[in-house]
């Protein structure tokens, strides 16, 4: 995968190799029973409407609409000793705004245009190509190639509510596929899973691919490596009614990108970030007379180096909720907080901003306007479900952890070289008040092949927003259709 230097080269040179692997991988398991082979396709069309915080008059246009389509198609096979998958993806945009940049991209349309430099950003590229060899040793599976990876979801608990909480509030906090963006992100490398008693142990070593907002998607970022390890313990062992995980991630980034996302104002010839994150999470579910109560605790501490500074940072999440499973619509009320440390002094030798590495930020900021770095996020959410319809509402009260730091946004590395790091920041102006965000979404499943999704979010900004913008109101909505075969 390190030979992938451009997406067009990837599609022309790797796709024949991918087809060859898809044909030959089944032969690796001998004797060979009749193979299970299936084709899949998933098409997503999304129309977005933005009214971002208004910049100074004449600086940029924060009001626009855009449409994009993503088609994923491929083949997957299963054998007793090996599974494989080949997936190609084509993304096409229409109407990306040419003047929605300043200060920084004004919403996702500005970010897509900033990367592509044209309003019809598009690309065909290799999304997945991997083989998973099962039971290489007792309890040991090995996966090689281009694949997806989601931190916090390395092992399934087997408890539906625990899995639902993980999807909502744990998956991809640190490493994820940037899946809501149309170009997304994949990982090239190796993953090893070992089942040992109550523990499921996962280790991996990856290079992420370009993607997210980058139209040259599918190129392996050779100068960025991430090594992960996680031990996940099945519910009840050792924590009663809960899944417990211990994790570690090492992030090494020496990309030739000139942006440096911190509060120092210093220039950089290239990235120089080496960060180790160690932490733990617990997700539990317990029955009540009316339904069930859930609880989540997550902590991560970081050390390493940030350019010429040492890096010391941390983040903590505490959440809980109750679902009335016997009531109509099964209302689920949840609340919690997330604190991610910031840097309290730009001129010293220590960088204190918690670094999210390669997350899927939209799981935690559905308006995509901020990242969980230098952030204090207190929230309440309500979920309702009735047959084919799911409705969700979130309210977030947001402030910066340190006034001396900035307002961070982005979702991690999108390109191997250039001017874009993947995270950026706007100055705080010495303030901490970011604002209040209200978000609502509805997902309706028509049948197993077709679903319709909608979202609307609004942020009323505080002093931090008014430091960079004339207007303090942001509105963002979209309508999306998904077709599966």
């Amino acid at each position: 995968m390190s030979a992938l230097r451009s997406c067009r080269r990837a599609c022309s040179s790797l796709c024949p190799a991918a087809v060859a692997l898809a044909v030959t991988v089944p032969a690796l398991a001998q004797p060979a029973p009749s193979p299970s082979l299936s084709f899949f396709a998933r098409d997503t069309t999304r129309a977005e409407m933005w009214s971002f915080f208004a910049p100074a008059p004449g600086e940029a246009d924060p009001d626009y609409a855009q449409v994009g389509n993503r088609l994923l198609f491929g083949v997957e096979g299963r054998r007793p000793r090996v599974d494989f998958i080949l997936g190609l993806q084509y993304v096409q945009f229409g109407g990306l705004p040419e003047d929605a940049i300043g200060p920084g991209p004004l919403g996702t349309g500005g970010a897509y245009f900033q990367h592509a430099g044209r309003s019809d950003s598009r690309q065909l590229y290799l999304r997945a190509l991997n083989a998973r060899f099962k039971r290489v040793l007792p309890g040991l599976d090995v996966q090689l190639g281009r694949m997806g990876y989601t931190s916090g979801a390395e092992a399934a608990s087997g408890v539906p509510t625990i899995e639902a909480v993980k999807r909502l509030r744990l998956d991809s906090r640190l490493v994820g596929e940037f899946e809501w963006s149309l170009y997304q992100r994949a990982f090239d490398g190796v993953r090893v899973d070992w089942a040992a008693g109550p523990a499921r142990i996962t280790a991996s070593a990856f290079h992420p691919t370009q993607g997210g907002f980058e139209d040259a998607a599918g190129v392996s970022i050779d100068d960025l490596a991430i090594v992960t390890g996680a031990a996940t313990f099945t519910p009840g062992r050792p924590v009663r009614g809960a899944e417990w995980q211990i994790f570690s991630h090492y992030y090494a980034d020496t990309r030739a990108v000139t942006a440096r996302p911190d509060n120092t104002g210093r220039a950089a010839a290239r990235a120089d970030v080496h960060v180790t994150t160690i932490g733990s999470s617990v997700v539990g579910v317990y029955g009540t007379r009316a339904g069930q109560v859930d609880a989540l605790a997550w902590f991560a501490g970081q050390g390493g180096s940030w350019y010429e500074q040492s890096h010391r940072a941390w983040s903590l999440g505490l959440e809980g909720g109750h679902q009335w499973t016997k009531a109509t619509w099964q209302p689920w009320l949840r609340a919690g907080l997330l604190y991610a440390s910031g840097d309290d002094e730009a001129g010293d030798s220590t960088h204190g901003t918690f670094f999210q590495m390669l997350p899927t930020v939209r799981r935690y900021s559905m308006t995509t306007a901020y990242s969980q770095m230098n952030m204090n996020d207190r929230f309440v959410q309500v979920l309702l479900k009735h047959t084919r319809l799911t409705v969700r509402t979130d309210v977030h009260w947001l402030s910066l952890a340190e006034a001396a730091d900035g307002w961070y946004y982005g979702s991690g590395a999108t390109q191997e070289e250039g001017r874009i790091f993947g995270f950026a920041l706007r100055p705080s102006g010495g303030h901490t008040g970011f604002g209040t965000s209200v978000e609502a979404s509805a997902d309706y499943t028509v049948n197993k092949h077709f679903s319709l999704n909608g979202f609307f979010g609004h942020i009323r900004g505080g002093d931090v927003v008014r430091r960079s913008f004339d207007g303090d109101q942001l509105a963002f909505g979209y309508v999306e259709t998904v077709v599966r075969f």
Side-chain angles (χ1 to χ4, degrees):
M1 295 299 176
S2 62
L4 296 176
R5 308 308 299 182
S6 74
C7 287
R8 291 177 176 84
R9 284 176 57 194
C11 290
S12 62
S13 64
L14 280 181
C15 289
V19 173
L21 180 59
V23 171
T24 58
V25 161
L28 296 177
Q30 298 294 336
S34 298
S36 170
L37 189 68
S38 60
F39 296 88
F40 61 88
R42 178 185 174 106
D43 186 80
T44 302
T45 303
R46 184 186 304 145
E48 298 183 31
M49 291 71 68
W50 279 93
S51 180
F52 205 80
F53 300 120
E59 188 170 338
D61 185 0
D63 302 319
Y64 60 90
Q66 68 190 44
V67 63
N69 187 83
R70 177 176 68 215
L71 174 62
L72 172 66
F73 58 97
V75 60
E76 59 183 341
R78 298 182 182 277
R79 298 289 296 272
R81 300 301 295 271
V82 64
D83 297 337
F84 67 91
I85 186 170
L86 161 67
L88 301 179
Q89 191 152 277
Y90 178 71
V91 173
Q92 171 77 64
F93 280 94
L96 291 178
E98 299 182 10
D99 53 356
I101 302 174
L106 308 183
T108 57
Y112 285 118
F113 187 87
Q114 184 182 45
H115 282 77
R118 62 181 191 272
S119 60
D120 63 341
S121 175
R122 61 188 182 273
Q123 189 61 269
L124 172 67
Y125 55 100
L126 183 67
R127 177 71 174 92
L129 174 60
N130 64 78
R132 177 170 170 259
F133 301 96
K134 297 177 284 189
R135 300 183 299 281
V136 176
L137 294 172
L140 182 70
D141 295 349
V142 178
Q143 190 172 7
L144 301 169
R146 175 164 295 181
M147 67 194 77
Y149 181 83
T150 300
S151 65
E154 288 86 354
S157 67
V159 180
T161 303
I162 289 180
E163 293 305 301
V165 171
K166 288 163 62 177
R167 285 192 301 272
L168 283 171
R169 300 294 305 170
L170 187 62
D171 291 2
S172 302
R173 279 191 187 268
L174 298 175
V175 184
E177 298 175 47
F178 209 159
E179 60 262 23
W180 188 80
S181 67
L182 288 190
Y183 284 114
Q184 302 180 303
R185 171 193 293 138
F187 297 90
D188 294 336
V190 57
R191 169 175 172 163
V192 177
D193 291 274
W194 180 41
R200 303 293 182 268
I201 299 172
T202 301
S204 63
F206 295 124
H207 293 294
T209 66
Q210 292 192 157
F213 303 117
E214 173 60 51
D215 62 338
V219 178
S220 189
I221 304 179
D222 296 337
D223 292 331
L224 197 167
I226 187 158
V227 180
T228 76
T232 308
F233 298 88
T234 55
R237 301 179 67 184
V239 183
R240 186 179 68 84
E243 178 187 273
W244 176 41
Q245 183 181 86
I246 304 170
F247 59 83
S248 175
H249 306 296
Y250 174 68
Y251 176 101
D253 187 353
T254 58
R255 290 174 295 148
V257 294
T258 55
R260 173 174 169 165
D262 60 28
N263 60 343
T264 63
R266 299 170 187 167
R270 62 187 308 120
D272 184 12
V273 178
H274 299 79
V275 171
T276 298
T277 304
I278 298 174
S280 182
S281 66
V282 179
V283 183
V285 174
Y286 307 92
T288 67
R289 289 184 178 182
Q292 52 191 8
V293 63
D294 66 89
L296 179 152
W298 179 88
F299 176 81
Q302 293 183 328
S305 62
W306 179 269
Y307 296 87
E308 74 283 353
Q309 298 176 290
S310 63
H311 177 80
R312 300 290 185 272
W314 62 279
S315 183
L316 171 70
L318 297 172
E319 303 178 14
H322 187 278
Q323 185 177 22
W324 288 263
T325 57
K326 300 176 183 179
T328 304
W329 290 88
Q330 301 181 40
W332 191 359
L333 175 64
R334 304 191 74 254
L337 62 88
L338 185 286
Y339 182 89
S341 67
D343 190 78
D344 60 359
E345 187 175 346
D348 65 7
S349 61
T350 302
H351 179 252
T353 307
F354 185 78
F355 180 52
Q356 272 194 276
M357 301 191 294
L358 296 168
T360 299
V361 161
R362 194 178 182 268
R363 287 185 181 269
Y364 307 96
S365 168
M366 296 184 72
T367 57
T368 72
Y370 58 92
S371 302
Q372 291 186 317
M373 299 164 59
N374 187 38
M375 182 58 68
N376 186 358
D377 179 359
R378 293 152 294 165
F379 75 93
V380 174
Q381 65 181 189
V382 178
L383 298 96
L384 303 172
K385 183 176 178 60
H386 185 66
T387 59
R388 298 176 181 177
L389 177 64
T390 301
V391 179
R392 172 179 170 179
T393 302
D394 294 60
V395 181
H396 294 258
W397 294 272
L398 304 160
S399 60
L400 302 189
E402 296 287 349
D405 207 341
W407 157 18
Y408 290 85
Y409 58 93
S411 200
T414 56
Q415 57 183 211
E416 184 169 23
E417 58 185 29
R419 298 176 294 106
I420 302 172
F421 184 95
F423 291 108
L425 82 160
R426 298 181 176 101
S428 69
H431 303 290
T432 59
F434 184 85
T436 302
S437 175
V438 180
E439 305 160 339
S441 63
D443 304 321
Y444 182 69
T445 302
V446 178
N447 53 48
K448 66 179 182 178
H449 298 297
F450 182 73
S451 61
L452 178 66
N453 311 313
F455 171 83
F456 179 78
H458 178 269
I459 297 178
R460 182 175 181 177
D463 290 338
V464 172
V465 171
R466 289 189 285 270
R467 164 62 177 79
S468 297
F469 294 91
D470 277 9
D472 60 3
Q473 307 291 315
L474 178 153
F476 164 47
Y478 70 82
V479 177
E480 176 185 82
T481 60
V482 181
V483 180
R484 304 174 183 83
F485 293 100

